[in-house]
Amino acid sequence: MKMQDKIPYEPKDIEKKWQDVWEKNNLYKSEIDKTKTKMHVLDMFPYPSGEGLHAGHAKIFGASDIYARMKRMQGFNVLKVQGYDAFGLPAEQFAIKNKVNPKISTKKNTENFERQMRRLGLSYDWSRSVNTTDPKFYKWTQWIFKQLYKDGLCFESHEPINWCPSCKTGLANEDLEDGKCERCGSVVEKKPIRQWVIKITDYAEKLLSGVDNLNWKESIKEMQRNWIGKSEGAEIDFRLSTSQTFTVFTTRPDTLFGCTYCVFAPENKLVEELLNNNLINNGNEVKKYILEVKDKSEIERTSSGKEKTGVKLEGVFAINPANQKEVPVYIADYVLNNYGTGAIMAVPAHDERDFEFAKKFDIEIIELEKFEDKNEIVKKVGGKMVTKYKLRDWVFARQRYWGEPFPIVFDENHNPFVVADSELPVILPDVESYEPTGDGESPLKNIQEWVEVNGKINSEGEFESDENGKIFYRETNTMPQWAGSSWYWLRYMDPHNDQEMVNKEIEKYWGDVDIYLGGMEHATRHLIYGRFWNQFLFDKKIISTPEPFKRLEAVGLVLGEGGMKMSKRLGNVINPDDIADIFGVDTLRLYIAFAGDYHDDYTWDTKAIVGPRRFIERVWNMQYKIQTPPSLPSIEEGNSSPNIKLTTLLHQTIKKVSNDYEKLQFNTAVAQMMTFINAYDKNENIDLESYKTLLKLLAPICPFVTEEIWESLTPALSIGEGAMQSIHQEEWPKYDELQTIDKVVNIAIQINGKLRDTFSIATDSPDVEVLEVAKNREQYKKWVGEVEPKKIIVIKNKIVNVVL
Ligand code: ANZ
């Protein structure tokens, strides 16, 4: 090519052009192809906020895009879809503030997200996209709830639950952070609310044992294990002086002889019974304390270092079953009613919390010199070994508007019935006011024409509408935001099926998710719920694999300039659109890939973007140095010409880039490509084949510019209707392991500690040969001359060190 043919690099034109061509050619459409190995690459789907995509999204989605693009080129059949997790409080709060239907704002936000993602060249099969707020999608969320319900895993409950006074809704344990509402930071209260609960605890053991075989980072696996919190101990019965018995849960039955008092959780039913029967002498004091702790959060009650409080039950003693000794009984908030049995045997000498309590209340402390054998002592006192879990059942109802309605109706006596399949989806109606009522009811409660529905109960015991039937009342709570996200990836496999959640054959082909990318904040919420639903669906033989996410990769945050979390308030949010406008999408993608280790947080630095831009321009300009036919000479063993070094470098680069992409270590892959380019670009001419290899390696990170150059290199194969030959459909470069080994090394000659010369020689040459070459060098002769060196040390493949 002649110099005057040079065209400057203009990302704007190139990127729009290829975005359109790829979409027209359906380049990323996935179909089942049994001749290929499937590869399901999944991003944690976003909540489509009004602010649009931010740099953090670009980091996660960019990582999976690079990975997926390489996998396609390696011959895998990649399934890569994006969807929207669009129910939930933010949309509703926006709706309340701006008086717009959340349906409308969600649609607008979703369109903007999709526009941005398409622009970033993310290779999703958009024909499969889903949105959790779409009735065609939530029909199946409701259907799964129905299966759980029919299996006895859902129940209605009135127990006190976490209540956020500002979001005005009940919350699951997973929605709390340090006892505060994860969303708004308010301290949660305990409030009895009518709700639906899913018995996730029935799956505690499966969720725990399943963790072991997952290819996840150990720290996340450990977080899951701790959340499930398996604890092996014993249940032992104690008798009260008032003749009732109660059971304690202890992990240390071997310390039974050290028990000097017992404690009930203030809410323990037995305390109520003792009070009702006037068996406690200081009943009023006890009642007052119960009221005091009623609204306290678990974290407030149990955090270490907090001063212990409690009240002794005057006139009541417990009898230690090991030695028949009478010990005092207390109520104290450090004992929780919903863990173990809600009662403990306290052993102050061997338990920190009991020790603090005993000190404060001046209770006897018995230090044991020897511990009993756990199993013997339990047997002796008639107890039993048991297993407990910290995991709580899943509070699965929100007293809010913007969520999936339940597929449940009640009759006039509040008996619940699940609706027949023909009634699905139960559509969320439009309302005038989205405000939560705050009294534990959702705004749906006020829409009489929706709540009341005529029908009958069919032979299956399910509700069916019937104009002439009697009145039933719809459940007015809605599902929590975690419902749709607990199974959405399964729908990607078969998104338009209106008969089944997912067709069995189709699901069998795509199977589990091969790699799942997202943020760490989901380690104990979405990833517990998602695994639970998946395991349940597997048990019901609806899907074919028990664990949904084979490999999980937690991608670090992109922090705003100055190292702070990006936030609107701080004004440090980076909108990918703005960066793409100035530098181009490829530069943005390359910057994000190169800015640091993907797994770690890193700080955005706009000044540093010129580097990636220059790199791309250099790759661009290299096309004008191509010499055809290829200038790279044949590779002969032992030939130490610089071209052999380049061939070795090329093979090393293919190897490193392939391996690094596999591990999502994009920054080191880019560094290797830079090394390669530095070496190649020194030459006057560049051979076509090496250049094409470089383009293929770079294509997953910079899909647009590589495609543009590719087209100019292979004009005969250019676009044409339906006959596109894209670089993204090319075969991934292969390397030859033998050729990755350095055949030539540089040896330094150091004389009296000073570097005087370097020369190249075949790798691993024997010391005598290295010395022979060194002694014949001009510089050696100049500095050593006729002097007999005191010492010569040869360090293999590195240095000849001469001491005169
Ligand atoms: C006597 C004892 C002696 C205990 C000792 C510990 C050490 P994990 O491992 O977390 O399961 N406990 C039991 N139920 C409780 C409740 N509802 N609220 C607060 N504490 C409760 O802890 C189990 C231990 O925590 C149990 O074993 C019990 O104290 C306490 F040297 O019993 B242990």
Side-chain angles (χ1 to χ4, degrees), residues 229-234 248-256 259 263 265 301-302 332-354 368 371 388-390 392:
K230 183 173 179 168
S231 182
E232 315 230 30
V248 301
F249 171 64
T250 175
T251 46
R252 296 290 309 275
D254 53 331
T255 63
L256 189 53
C259 166
V263 188
R301 288 171 58 157
T302 54
D333 66 359
Y334 79 95
V335 174
L336 303 171
N337 200 35
N338 62 358
Y339 184 62
T341 58
I344 66 160
M345 58 178 237
V347 186
H350 301 283
D351 182 278
E352 185 101 21
R353 295 160 300 176
D354 297 344
L368 295 172
F371 298 110
K388 302 274 176 194
Y389 298 91
K390 292 257 154 50
R392 295 276 135 260

Side-chain angles (χ1 to χ4, degrees), residues 459-503:
S459 56
E460 311 249 310
E462 298 180 351
F463 170 84
E464 264 176 34
S465 326
D466 178 352
E467 274 181 28
N468 303 318
K470 67 170 187 172
I471 296 181
F472 288 81
Y473 306 87
R474 291 196 188 279
E475 168 62 68
T476 54
N477 280 315
T478 54
M479 296 188 193
Q481 199 183 343
W482 305 107
S485 59
S486 295
W487 76 282
Y488 70 103
W489 65 93
L490 293 165
R491 191 66 180 166
Y492 286 171
M493 300 174 190
D494 195 11
H496 308 295
N497 190 340
D498 58 8
Q499 299 301 312
E500 297 163 288
M501 174 196 128
V502 54
N503 171 277

Side-chain angles (χ1 to χ4, degrees), residues 341-545:
T341 58
I344 66 160
M345 58 178 237
V347 186
H350 301 283
D351 182 278
E352 185 101 21
R353 295 160 300 176
D354 297 344
F355 180 75
E356 287 168 20
F357 191 87
K359 274 268 174 226
K360 178 161 173 191
F361 287 85
D362 204 14
I363 306 169
E364 187 187 5
I365 298 172
I366 299 177
E367 190 150 353
L368 295 172
E369 271 161 27
K370 77 176 208 349
F371 298 110
E372 301 298 311
D373 182 287
K374 280 187 184 174
N375 288 314
E376 273 162 24
I377 185 85
V378 172
K379 223 172 172 180
K380 219 164 90 190
V381 298
K384 59 172 193 257
M385 298 305 283
V386 291
T387 303
K388 302 274 176 194
Y389 298 91
K390 292 257 154 50
L391 185 70
R392 295 276 135 260
D393 278 331
W394 181 5
V395 173
F396 193 77
R398 298 290 174 271
Q399 295 70 45
R400 304 283 315 208
Y401 169 69
W402 190 233
E404 299 88 345
F406 282 82
I408 296 280
V409 299
F410 298 94
D411 67 10
E412 67 280 14
N413 298 320
H414 200 76
N415 295 312
F417 296 92
V418 73
V419 305
D421 283 2
S422 57
E423 300 287 316
L424 296 176
V426 177
I427 304 248
L428 182 66
D430 288 334
V431 291
E432 299 270 314
S433 159
Y434 309 102
E435 290 278 358
T437 60
D439 58 6
E441 298 289 355
S442 107
L444 293 178
K445 187 81 177 178
N446 302 323
I447 314 174
Q448 197 186 354
E449 62 275 24
W450 181 78
V451 173
E452 293 183 6
V453 51
N454 291 73
K456 58 170 194 269
I457 302 305
N458 68 16
S459 56
E460 311 249 310
E462 298 180 351
F463 170 84
E464 264 176 34
S465 326
D466 178 352
E467 274 181 28
N468 303 318
K470 67 170 187 172
I471 296 181
F472 288 81
Y473 306 87
R474 291 196 188 279
E475 168 62 68
T476 54
N477 280 315
T478 54
M479 296 188 193
Q481 199 183 343
W482 305 107
S485 59
S486 295
W487 76 282
Y488 70 103
W489 65 93
L490 293 165
R491 191 66 180 166
Y492 286 171
M493 300 174 190
D494 195 11
H496 308 295
N497 190 340
D498 58 8
Q499 299 301 312
E500 297 163 288
M501 174 196 128
V502 54
N503 171 277
K504 274 206 163 69
E505 283 303 305
I506 292 176
E507 187 280 329
K508 209 167 161 188
Y509 176 78
W510 293 114
D512 51 1
V513 171
D514 294 273
I515 181 168
Y516 194 20
L517 293 96
M520 265 293 265
E521 69 272 21
H522 296 290
T524 50
R525 283 184 280 177
H526 160 58
L527 290 171
I528 293 258
Y529 297 146
R531 291 184 57 226
F532 165 43
W533 277 29
N534 195 98
Q535 287 183 353
F536 167 75
L537 293 168
F538 172 74
D539 286 350
K540 300 308 293 174
K541 302 199 166 41
I542 295 163
I543 59 169
S544 63
T545 49

